[in-house]
Amino acid sequence: MNGNPQLNRNGELQHLLTLEGLPRANIEHILDTAESFVSIAEREVKKVPLLRGKSIFNLFFENSTRTRTTFEIAAKRLSADVINLNIGASSTSKGETVLDTIDNLSAMLADMFVVRHAQSGAAHMIAAHLNATARPYIHVINAGDGRHAHPTQGLLDLFTIRHYKKEFSQLTVAIVGDVLHSRVARSLIHGLTTLGTPEVRVVGPNTLIPAAAANLGVRVFNDMQEGVRNCDVVVMLRLQNERMRGALLPSAGEFFKHYGLTEEKLALAKSDAIVMHPGPMNRGVEIDSPVADGKHSVILPQVTFGIAVRMAVMGILAGS
Amino acid sequence: MKIEIRNGRLIDPKNAIDGKHSLFIAAGRVVSTGAAPDGWHANRVIDAAGLVVAPGLVDLSVRLREPGFEYKATLESEMLAAVAGGVTSFACPPDTDPVLDEPGLVEMLKHRARSLNASRVYPLGALTRGLQGQELAEMGELADAGCIGFSHADAPLPDTLVLYRTMQYAATFGYTVWLRPQDAFLARDGVAHDGEVATRLGLPAIPACAETIALATITQLMEETGARVHLCRLSTRTAVAQVRAAKKVRLPITCDVSIHHLHLCEIDIGYFDANCRLVPPLRSTRDRDALRGGVVDGTIDAVCSDHAPVDDDAKQLPFGEAEPGATGVELLLPLALKLAQEDKQKMADMIGWLTVGPARIMAIDAGHLSAGHAADVCVFDPSAFWRVERGALRSQGKNTPFLGLEVPGKVRYTLVNGQVVFEA
C-alpha cells in the first residue's frame, strides 16, 4: 500500500487521489487541458465524444449534492455514461465492505470511480486495491475523503487563481477558517506550494489549526487582520454546523466577529484581491453577504471552472 | 525424558551466563549447565552448533481472541504462533468477549490452554466489571482463579474516582494494576499521533499529552494508595522521562513498550497503511528514539509483542475505521534482534528485555535457566534471515506493518517444561 499509487511507472496520472506529491507538470497539464474545456461550455452543443462508451460510477459514501452534480455534468459533457450511487454511511454497516462494493461494480465493467467518503484515506484504499488486484485500468478520482484531500476542488481553486492572477510566483494567499477539518485547505496548500506560491497563510483560532500546520509550508496567523493584509487571494473555508457548538468554538457569532470576511477586513488585502469559497457558503458566519456578492468575489466562476477542471481530469485519466 | 542441548551459545541473563555451555534437562527441569551431571545419559541430544540457547521468552501481552473473537484467531492458532516465536510464558489481557471478569472464565481459559500443551498462559483479570470503568471486578476471586494482575486493557477508564478505588483495593491485597496510560477525553475519536502525518493526512489525532496526563494521574494515585502499577505500552518521550522520575523516588512502578513502537513512527503510516493503525498510535521519530533509550538504560523494564491478530475484513477499511493492532508474537524475537544489532546492544541484554524483565513484572518463576527450575527454553539461529510473509506466520492474524521485511532470527526449538513443543 506504500508508494504513491496515483502515478503509473511512466509518471502518468492513473488515479487522482491527492495533490500532495503530484508533480508540477501533471498539475499544469490538467489546468491547461481545462482551459480548452471552458470554451465547450460556451458552445450551443456542450458535448464532446471523448469518453463515449465509458462508464463512470459516482460512489458517494457521504452525501453531497453539489460535488456529485458537477462530476455528473462533467462526465456527461464528455459523453460518458454516468451511474450515481448514494451509498451513505449506513450501507457498510449492513455488511458489505467498501472493497466488496468496488469489486461488484468493477464486475459491471466500470471504467472510473468518483469516490466521496467520510474517512480520510478511503480513495487511496480503493486505488491500492485496484492496483493490487491487477485492475489499474479502472481509475479512481477522489471527490473528498474525510479531512484529507479534495484534489479536484484544489485544482479548480488553482485554475481560478491562475485565471485571475496569471501566475503564482508573486502571490500571497490566505486560507481562512476551519483548516483542521478541511480537505479543501489541504489540497489547495499542496497545489499552491507545488506551483511555487511564495506565501501561503492559514488563518484561524488554534482550535481549528492542525498541530503541525507549519510542516505543510504555510504561515499560521491567529489574527485575521494580519492574515489578510496585502493578500492577493483570500480563500474562505466553510464552517460546518457541528463545529459551531461544543469545544471548538463558542458560537457562530463570535467566529464571524473574529474570522468572518467583511468589507472592512477585505480592505486590508490588495485592492485587486480575489475572494474564493468552495461552497456552500454560510453567509454571516464565515463570509458577509456584501463580500460574497461583491466585486472581489469569484465564487460563482469557481463553480463554472470546476466543471472544466473535472472534465480535464476525467479526460486525462480515461480518454487517452 | 532427558534432553541435552549441546554446542550452543547459552545465554541466561539472570544468571549472567553467556558462553558455550551445554544444557542438561531431566524431568521437565534444568539439571545443570556446563558440566554433565553424574551418570548422565540423554534420551535426546539437540545439536545447537551456531545457535543461541536462551530461556523461553516471556511476553507481557498476547491476545488469544478467545473467548468471543474466534474469527480473528483461536487458542490453537495463537498458542502455536507463540511457541513458534519462542515465547513460553505470556500474559493475556482481559478484553475478550465475555470480558475476563469472572473466575469461571479464567479457569476455562487456563484449562483450555493447558490442554494444548504449549506455552504457559497467565491471564490478567479485568480491573472493572465488563471493563466498563464503573464497578470493581472480583479481584480476589479472579486472583484465586489464576489471574496474575488486573488490567483495563485498552478500554477507557475516564472516572478518576473509580481508578483511585481500584488502586486502593488492589493495594489492600498486593495485586499489581496494569494500566495503559491514556486520557480518555484527549484520545477520544483519535486514530493517529497529533503530529505532521496526522496533519498531512487529515487523521483525527491523539496528542502526546493524552498519555502523559494519564501517567501523571496514575503516579499521584500511586502515592496516595501505595498501589503497585505496571504501565503498558508507553509511546512518548515525556512518558519515559516521567517513569524515570517516578523510579527515582522509588514508586513501585514498572513499564513496557511494544516492539512495534521501537521500530516504527508516524511516518510509517505512509499512505494510510492500516497495518500501522496501532494503540497507542505510532508517534514521532524523537519519541521512538527516546523509547529505545529507555529500553537501553533500563527505565523501560520489558519489551513485548502486544500481539493482536486482526482479521483481514477489519483491516481492509479506511485507516480510521480499521481495527487497531498488529500480529507480533512471532516477530518479537526477530525484531528485538534487529534492534540490538542496529543499536549495538549485547545479545544478552536484548534477551533480558524479553525474559528477566517481563518475568519480574508478572512475578512468575520464568525467564531463566537456573538448575532445579522448569526447563522453558528457546533455541534460535540469530543469523538466519527470513521474510515476513502471510504464509510464514502461524498466527491467524496476518496484520503486520513488517510484511515483506527480511528479519534475522529463526526459532529452531522451543521447550516448555522440558518438552520440545516446537521445532523447525
Side-chain angles (χ1 to χ4, degrees):
Chain A
M1 191 117 155
N2 283 321
N4 190 337
Q6 64 183 345
L7 299 177
N8 66 18
R9 283 199 189 120
N10 303 323
E12 295 160 342
L13 204 62
Q14 186 176 332
H15 307 290
L16 180 65
L17 307 174
T18 171
L19 296 190
E20 186 187 357
L22 192 62
R24 183 180 186 131
N26 293 83
I27 293 179
E28 287 179 339
H29 178 46
I30 295 168
L31 299 183
D32 293 345
T33 308
E35 295 282 2
S36 65
F37 285 125
V38 172
S39 60
I40 290 174
E42 290 155 7
R43 291 192 218 151
E44 199 171 341
V45 178
K46 299 183 176 60
K47 267 198 175 199
V48 289
L50 193 60
L51 297 188
R52 190 156 57 201
K54 304 274 187 189
S55 300
I56 296 179
F57 284 71
N58 276 333
L59 277 180
F60 279 62
F61 295 92
E62 182 185 70
N63 288 330
S64 154
T65 313
R66 180 183 300 235
T67 302
R68 201 203 65 213
T69 306
T70 58
F71 272 105
E72 186 172 349
I73 292 168
K76 285 182 170 166
R77 287 196 182 155
L78 294 170
S79 310
D81 297 318
V82 183
I83 299 94
N84 288 315
L85 288 149
N86 282 324
I87 299 163
S90 63
S91 87
T92 44
S93 62
K94 285 180 194 156
E96 191 174 67
T97 66
V98 172
L99 296 184
D100 282 336
T101 305
I102 292 298
D103 287 343
N104 267 285
L105 297 175
S106 300
M108 300 174 198
L109 304 179
D111 294 290
M112 189 184 296
F113 293 116
V114 176
V115 180
R116 152 103 25 131
H117 199 288
Q119 286 286 335
S120 301
H124 273 83
M125 180 186 73
I126 291 167
H129 176 67
L130 291 169
N131 290 357
T133 50
R135 289 175 291 185
Y137 47 85
I138 305 177
H139 307 284
V140 176
I141 296 178
N142 182 3
D145 62 324
R147 308 173 182 181
H148 171 237
H150 194 352
T152 58
Q153 177 73 42
L155 288 164
L156 81 84
D157 291 342
L158 294 174
F159 186 92
T160 307
I161 294 169
R162 194 172 80 160
H163 180 85
Y164 289 99
K165 298 291 169 189
K166 305 307 172 208
E167 60 166 314
F168 293 85
S169 62
Q170 306 290 325
L171 294 183
T172 299
V173 179
I175 302 170
V176 184
D178 183 4
V179 179
L180 178 66
H181 300 96
S182 177
R183 51 195 173 210
V184 174
R186 284 180 177 80
S187 283
L188 180 56
I189 288 167
H190 290 305
L192 286 169
T193 50
T194 302
L195 294 184
T197 312
E199 182 152 339
V200 183
R201 303 171 176 178
V202 296
V203 184
N206 289 338
T207 47
L208 298 179
I209 302 288
N215 288 26
L216 299 174
V218 299
R219 286 181 69 190
V220 177
F221 287 78
N222 291 134
D223 183 315
M224 174 91 168
Q225 270 83 2
E226 292 307 309
V228 300
R229 196 180 298 279
N230 293 321
C231 276
D232 299 281
V233 179
V234 180
V235 180
M236 300 306 299
L237 299 172
R238 176 177 164 78
L239 188 69
Q240 302 284 349
N241 287 324
E242 64 265 29
R243 316 278 183 233
M244 299 178 209
R245 294 181 295 274
L248 288 168
L249 290 173
S251 69
E254 183 158 324
F255 180 79
F256 181 72
K257 189 176 160 198
H258 289 294
Y259 299 103
L261 188 61
T262 57
E263 289 187 312
E264 295 77 53
K265 288 179 194 145
L266 183 58
L268 297 168
K270 286 196 183 147
S271 58
D272 63 345
I274 56 171
V275 173
M276 299 177 23
H277 191 296
M281 281 185 288
N282 294 305
R283 289 169 185 262
V285 178
E286 67 260 1
I287 191 163
D288 206 9
S289 274
V291 176
D293 304 326
K295 65 179 170 38
H296 296 276
S297 169
V298 297
I299 294 169
L300 291 175
Q302 277 180 277
V303 178
T304 309
F305 295 150
I307 292 169
V309 165
R310 285 169 180 134
M311 287 170 76
V313 171
M314 289 174 167
I316 288 167
L317 285 174
S320 49
Chain B
M1 183 77 172
K2 291 181 176 176
I3 298 176
E4 178 178 344
I5 304 175
R6 65 164 69 140
N7 298 327
R9 174 180 169 190
L10 187 80
I11 301 180
D12 181 9
K14 186 165 186 184
N15 294 308
I17 297 170
D18 182 354
K20 197 164 174 186
H21 302 289
S22 294
L23 181 66
F24 301 94
I25 297 164
R29 292 178 181 273
V30 174
V31 181
S32 65
T33 51
D38 291 341
W40 175 260
H41 281 288
N43 305 98
R44 180 171 182 190
V45 174
I46 292 172
D47 183 4
L51 307 181
V52 170
V53 180
L57 309 184
V58 181
D59 195 342
L60 292 175
S61 185
V62 173
R63 283 181 167 80
L64 299 168
R65 301 300 193 192
E66 275 199 36
F69 301 105
E70 288 82 357
Y71 55 94
K72 295 190 216 295
T74 61
L75 218 54
E76 284 82 357
S77 64
E78 303 321 290
M79 296 289 280
L80 175 60
V83 292
V87 173
T88 55
S89 298
F90 60 82
C92 55
D95 52 352
T96 48
D97 182 21
V99 163
L100 294 183
D101 62 357
E102 280 185 27
L105 294 167
V106 175
E107 279 156 10
M108 172 72 91
L109 178 62
K110 287 197 67 122
H111 173 75
R112 289 255 294 126
R114 251 195 315 271
S115 70
L116 292 170
N117 206 17
S119 310
R120 303 169 199 271
V121 176
Y122 295 94
L124 292 165
L127 193 59
T128 66
R129 222 178 274 268
L131 292 176
Q132 294 295 309
Q134 286 160 2
E135 302 163 44
L136 300 197
E138 291 177 313
M139 294 189 209
E141 299 284 336
L142 289 163
D144 289 347
C147 289
I148 54 148
F150 296 91
S151 151
H152 221 255
D154 291 321
L157 182 42
D159 189 327
T160 40
L161 181 61
V162 174
L163 178 62
Y164 183 38
R165 297 292 184 228
T166 61
M167 289 170 70
Q168 275 184 317
Y169 192 81
T172 309
F173 298 98
Y175 304 136
T176 304
V177 178
W178 296 41
L179 295 168
R180 184 166 73 81
Q182 178 166 287
D183 184 277
F185 297 109
L186 286 167
R188 190 167 57 198
D189 301 331
V191 300
H193 172 57
D194 197 9
E196 62 175 295
V197 172
T199 295
R200 263 182 42 232
L201 298 183
L203 293 171
I206 303 176
C209 64
E211 178 166 295
T212 57
I213 287 172
L215 208 161
T217 303
I218 290 166
T219 53
Q220 292 195 18
L221 291 176
M222 288 176 73
E223 286 176 16
E224 290 291 323
T225 60
R228 192 167 60 231
V229 170
H230 174 65
L231 297 170
C232 307
R233 316 309 104 79
L234 297 192
S235 71
T236 64
R237 61 180 182 277
T238 310
V240 177
Q242 285 172 299
V243 171
R244 198 172 282 134
K247 286 186 164 183
K248 207 166 243 174
V249 297
R250 303 200 174 277
L251 277 183
I253 199 167
T254 52
C255 66
D256 72 61
V257 62
S258 101
I259 191 71
H260 299 101
H261 290 76
L262 295 175
H263 282 282
L264 304 173
C265 59
E266 54 177 340
I267 294 157
D268 292 294
I269 291 170
Y271 292 99
F272 305 98
D273 182 356
N275 282 328
C276 286
R277 168 106 164 80
L278 303 174
V279 284
L282 294 171
R283 298 203 183 266
S284 70
T285 49
R286 286 179 66 196
D287 291 308
R288 183 194 57 190
D289 294 347
L291 291 168
R292 284 184 171 213
V295 170
V296 169
D297 75 14
T299 304
I300 296 176
D301 301 89
V303 177
C304 73
S305 73
D306 199 20
H307 180 70
V310 175
D311 57 307
D312 289 344
D313 282 352
K315 277 292 185 191
Q316 287 172 357
L317 291 171
F319 190 87
E321 289 178 349
E323 186 175 319
T327 190
V329 73
E330 294 164 84
L331 298 173
L332 178 62
L333 177 65
L335 292 172
L337 263 171
K338 186 171 154 63
L339 182 70
Q341 286 166 7
E342 285 170 8
D343 282 3
K344 301 190 169 45
Q345 296 299 308
K346 288 192 193 123
M347 186 149 8
D349 291 339
M350 180 278 286
I351 289 172
W353 309 334
L354 310 181
T355 55
V356 188
R360 194 179 296 138
I361 291 161
M362 290 165 67
I364 58 172
D365 180 19
H368 59 91
L369 296 171
S370 310
H373 293 261
D376 294 354
V377 189
C378 168
V379 182
F380 64 93
D381 184 344
S383 46
F385 278 77
W386 58 285
R387 188 183 291 277
V388 182
E389 287 169 323
R390 293 177 67 94
L393 297 171
R394 282 151 183 102
S395 167
Q396 199 167 314
K398 311 298 181 190
N399 50 303
T400 165
F402 298 104
L403 281 175
L405 190 77
E406 288 269 343
V407 289
K410 233 175 154 44
V411 174
R412 298 293 184 205
Y413 303 91
T414 304
L415 285 77
V416 175
N417 229 7
Q419 282 184 43
V420 177
V421 293
F422 174 81
E423 56 183 296

